[in-house]
Amino acid sequence: MPEGPEIRRVADRLGKVLVDVPLTQVWFAFPELESMAGRLVNSRVTTVDCWGKALLITFADGHVLYSHNQLYGVWRVHRRGRSPTTGRVLRARLVAGDHTASLYSASDISLWTADTLRQQPFLARLGPDLLTHDVTAEDIVARLSEPRFAGRGLGGLLLDQGFYAGIGNYLRSEILFYAGLAPRKRPKALSEAQREKLADCILTTVQQAYREAGVTNRPTWRKRLQREGKRRSQWRFAVFNRDNQPCHACGDLILRETIASRRLYRCPTCQPE
């Protein structure tokens, strides 16, 4: 399932074709939304943002279209009049200028206003988005020290979207590896230097995944693998999906564990228990 960086990239693609371009069609498959289509087509899109795995399209009249892809939903950008070949079911369509943004197979779609958006049940449970809400390393250090988070194991905490929105399973393994921390460590047991390093790794790893379309491995490590002719799946990550393979940093074999009911990968030497 896409994580925060992938959803942020989708939001950016949609924004390039929709923002401040006159709308010529707004269509929804759901009757409760279709009644608003005529009003929205007379407005315009002002921003396209994401919050965790939710995508938010804001219109000039104050309405916000909320969508969550869940397992099967996907936004596609294509030329007007040239729908992509797909077996997915069309749920929403916005046409602006020469481009169309089509939402397929998602079932969680609703309209809100800027004033009521925080009442949306999914968004109401989320912490700040690491790529949308201008989060700093200092913000993360402070949040790690809050009583509701400080006593929890990092392996579970990083997946909690109420802590920060946008971290999923591959990012969790990569962040903890770069921070040199085992997943059962708790924020309250870390030194100040360790909390600061973890905060920095959270930001830099998520930002790299955004810039490089999901790649989190260090350039020096992945370039060696690329020269050897390895596939993208083999050089994309530092530890994720690399169980029983040598750690790029120390050579020890990567372990696969189950933490918070999800698979996690770590180096036992670089991330000692």
Side-chain angles (χ1 to χ4, degrees), residues 34-62:
E34 181 58 23
S35 61
M36 286 293 298
R39 175 172 175 175
L40 294 177
V41 80
N42 292 320
S43 185
R44 61 184 175 85
V45 173
T46 58
T47 61
V48 182
D49 266 324
C50 64
W51 193 346
K53 298 178 183 180
L55 196 135
L56 307 172
I57 300 176
T58 302
F59 296 85
D61 72 350

Side-chain angles (χ1 to χ4, degrees), residues 1-3 6-7 10 13-14 30 53-55 67-77 86-92 102-109:
M1 180 183 291
E3 301 184 18
E6 289 76 27
I7 302 301
V10 171
R13 287 199 297 272
L14 293 180
F30 302 102
K53 298 178 183 180
L55 196 135
S67 65
H68 194 297
N69 287 348
Q70 298 176 320
L71 286 177
Y72 303 109
V74 61
W75 279 97
R76 297 274 177 82
V77 174
T86 178
R88 297 174 182 267
V89 179
L90 183 64
R91 301 298 193 187
S102 298
L103 176 60
Y104 292 95
S105 298
S107 57
D108 194 359
I109 311 169

Side-chain angles (χ1 to χ4, degrees), residues 127-189:
D129 186 284
L130 288 159
L131 291 169
T132 299
H133 295 146
D134 298 322
V135 176
T136 67
E138 290 76 16
D139 295 331
I140 299 174
V141 169
R143 203 163 176 84
L144 286 167
S145 301
E146 293 182 17
R148 55 179 169 156
F149 302 128
R152 298 178 56 186
L154 291 172
L157 178 61
L158 290 181
L159 289 185
D160 182 353
Q161 301 300 290
F163 175 57
Y164 278 105
I167 299 176
N169 213 32
Y170 84 80
L171 285 171
R172 172 180 70 159
S173 291
E174 299 289 281
I175 288 167
L176 290 176
F177 170 71
Y178 287 127
L181 296 172
R184 293 178 178 84
K185 295 283 188 180
R186 300 180 181 187
K188 67 180 182 181

Side-chain angles (χ1 to χ4, degrees), residues 203-221:
L203 281 183
T204 57
T205 306
V206 171
Q207 289 166 354
Q208 179 185 346
Y210 165 68
R211 291 192 311 270
E212 301 184 24
V215 175
T216 51
N217 204 359
R218 287 179 175 165
T220 53
W221 294 339

